[in-house]
Amino acid sequence: MPQIVIISSSVRTGRKSHRVALFLQRFIEESNAGSAIIEDLNNYQFPLFSERLRYQKDPLPEAVRFSEVIRSADGVIIVTPENNGGYPASLKNVVDLLTDEWKNKPVAISTVSDGRFGGAQVITSLQFVLWKMGALTVPAMFPVPVVQEAFDEEGNPSDRASVEKRAEAFIGKLIWCIESVKK
């Protein structure tokens, strides 16, 4: 059973994208698609890193732990809000912190917004950065428009049947990529 790490990337007060991370974790486990843990960047409150982890002389233990979690995962899902057309600095900070951890790692992206476009503007820039890092970005997305109406605070979808159908396709493509890498 694949080990999947879900990065909940927003550290903003009143964030809503974490609702999607909660849903995806529950969906993966309830559908027996794999095991899933959430790495919530809000819990870490990392400082702005001035150097990649492998070059730091005395790295933060939390950064080392985060690196090990990403390295050991079979696949990663990044749940990111769209902030002014881009992704949050908290996410860029940890993407750039790691290097080899991203190499050949299947990474699926879920974009979230308060508006109707579901974070569509953020996907291109995030995919490009992950591609440059050597990650294998999964050719499926899980956009969530109007997240405040689509999910409650515990990650329960308002339209369960529709959301679960989309999640099944999204997670299915991630699992396919994970299995392909293992071969």
Side-chain angles (χ1 to χ4, degrees), residues 7 9 16-21 24 77-83 85-88 91 108-127 130 140-148 150-151 166 170:
I7 298 175
S9 65
K16 296 177 183 70
S17 59
H18 190 69
R19 300 171 183 198
V20 177
L24 289 170
I77 296 173
I78 295 175
V79 178
T80 183
E82 180 178 293
N83 294 345
Y87 52 96
L91 180 56
I109 301 169
S110 174
T111 57
V112 178
S113 75
D114 288 343
R116 298 205 160 280
F117 296 108
Q121 294 178 352
V122 71
I123 189 70
T124 306
S125 58
L126 183 53
Q127 279 184 320
L130 290 167
M141 277 184 39
F142 192 78
V144 180
V146 197
V147 66
Q148 66 276 15
F151 290 89
R166 290 188 319 110
F170 176 69

Side-chain angles (χ1 to χ4, degrees), residues 100-114:
D100 295 338
E101 295 85 346
W102 296 120
K103 298 263 190 277
N104 298 317
K105 181 76 62 182
V107 179
I109 301 169
S110 174
T111 57
V112 178
S113 75
D114 288 343

